[in-house]
Amino acid sequence: SQTIHQWPATLVQPVGSPLSLECTVEGTSNPNLYWYRQAAGRGLQLLFYSVGIGQISSEVPQNLSASRPQDRQFILSSKKLLLSDSGFYLCAWSVGGQGETQYFGPGTRLLVL
Amino acid sequence: LAKTTQPISMDSYEGQEVNITCSHNNIATNDYITWYQQFPSQGPRFIIQGYKTKVTNEVASLFIPADRKSSTLSLPRVSLSDTAVYYCLVGLNTGFQKLVFGTGTRLLVSP
C-alpha cells in the first residue's frame, strides 16, 4: 500500500530564517506531487506541483520554492521566512489515470514569529 | 477548472442523514466530481468520486443529476466523528489534475 510522510509535524521559526519541509511517498512510482498551504479556517491553496523529477511548476509567486531531487521526494524551501508564511502545509500525491485522486500527507504546521 | 459553490456550514444530530449539495454550473464534459473530508490539523481524505447518476461506497453516496450542474453528498446516519469540513471539487479525470479547493462545508454533528 502507498503511504506519504511529512516532517516535521510542527515547526516554529523566526522571521528571516530558512525553511525546509520534506515529503516522501512510498509504494508508488512516478507520482504527481503537490504542495498546498492552508491558512487557519480557509481552504487549500496550491503552491507547487511536479509531474516528474526536476519538473516543478509554481502556482503562486512567493518567497517559497520547491524541488524534487528524487522520484518520490518533494521538498518545500524558503531562504527567508515571512510572517505571512505561517500556515498548515500539506503534501499530496496522485497517479494519473481515470478519476485521478489526490492523497494527502499528515501536514506540517508552521508558525513564523 | 469549474468553480464550485457549497454551503458554508451545516448542523445535524447523531443518527440523521446529511445531504450536502454542491453547485458546479460550468462543469466540463470530461470533469469528474470528487468529495474530500478534512478533520482539524489533518490533510483532506478522499471520500467518493463520480461522473454521473449515483455512486455509493461504504461511507457515502453521491447523487449527480443528468445535467451534472450540481451534486449531492449523502452521509447516512452521521455520528459525532463525522464532524469535519467537506470539500467538493471538479476536474479532469485523466492525466495531471490541479485541484481547486474552496472553503468547503463545515458540518457539525451534535449528540
Side-chain angles (χ1 to χ4, degrees):
Chain A
S1 64
Q2 301 87 2
T3 56
I4 179 170
H5 304 277
Q6 284 187 248
W7 65 90
T10 60
L11 190 61
V12 180
Q13 292 284 96
V15 170
S17 64
L19 173 73
S20 180
L21 302 181
E22 190 162 342
C23 170
T24 58
V25 181
E26 297 177 356
T28 187
S29 297
N30 196 30
N32 298 320
L33 296 173
Y34 312 81
W35 277 112
Y36 290 86
R37 178 171 58 200
Q38 185 173 35
R42 306 291 294 276
L44 280 74
Q45 178 188 35
L46 179 62
L47 302 176
F48 300 94
Y49 63 89
S50 171
V51 298
I53 296 175
Q55 301 178 59
I56 308 295
S57 297
S58 174
E59 286 294 296
V60 181
Q62 57 214 329
N63 68 320
L64 298 172
S65 63
S67 62
R68 185 171 177 174
Q70 300 180 40
D71 181 44
R72 289 169 289 177
Q73 184 184 30
F74 207 22
I75 298 172
L76 183 69
S77 304
S78 174
K79 294 181 179 179
K80 289 185 178 182
L81 284 169
L82 306 173
L83 288 174
S84 58
D85 292 324
S86 294
F88 190 44
Y89 287 82
L90 289 156
C91 180
W93 70 272
S94 69
V95 177
Q98 283 198 348
E100 183 174 330
T101 299
Q102 292 189 11
Y103 299 93
F104 288 80
T108 295
R109 187 160 301 282
L110 171 66
L111 179 60
V112 182
L113 300 175
Chain B
L1 293 175
K3 180 180 177 180
T4 60
T5 303
Q6 304 174 233
I8 294 175
S9 64
M10 295 182 68
D11 296 321
S12 184
Y13 293 95
E14 281 190 294
Q16 290 189 335
E17 178 185 72
V18 172
N19 295 308
I20 306 175
T21 297
C22 177
S23 297
H24 28 79
N25 292 318
N26 297 322
I27 189 169
T29 302
N30 292 332
D31 283 343
Y32 269 56
I33 300 159
T34 310
W35 286 79
Y36 288 80
Q37 175 193 55
Q38 186 180 26
F39 298 113
S41 298
Q42 294 186 26
R45 182 176 71 100
F46 171 85
I47 301 176
I48 197 167
Q49 185 178 73
Y51 183 79
K52 61 180 179 180
T53 62
K54 176 183 175 182
V55 179
T56 297
N57 61 22
E58 63 275 10
V59 297
S61 295
L62 178 60
F63 299 92
I64 306 169
D67 65 6
R68 303 198 330 120
K69 293 184 181 299
S70 67
S71 59
T72 299
L73 173 72
S74 181
L75 304 173
R77 300 183 59 79
V78 294
S79 64
L80 297 178
S81 62
D82 292 316
T83 294
V85 178
Y86 293 83
Y87 295 96
C88 162
L89 297 97
V90 296
L92 294 173
N93 72 319
T94 58
F96 170 72
Q97 176 176 211
K98 293 192 294 183
L99 298 182
V100 179
F101 284 81
T103 53
T105 297
R106 190 172 299 275
L107 173 65
L108 175 62
V109 180
S110 301

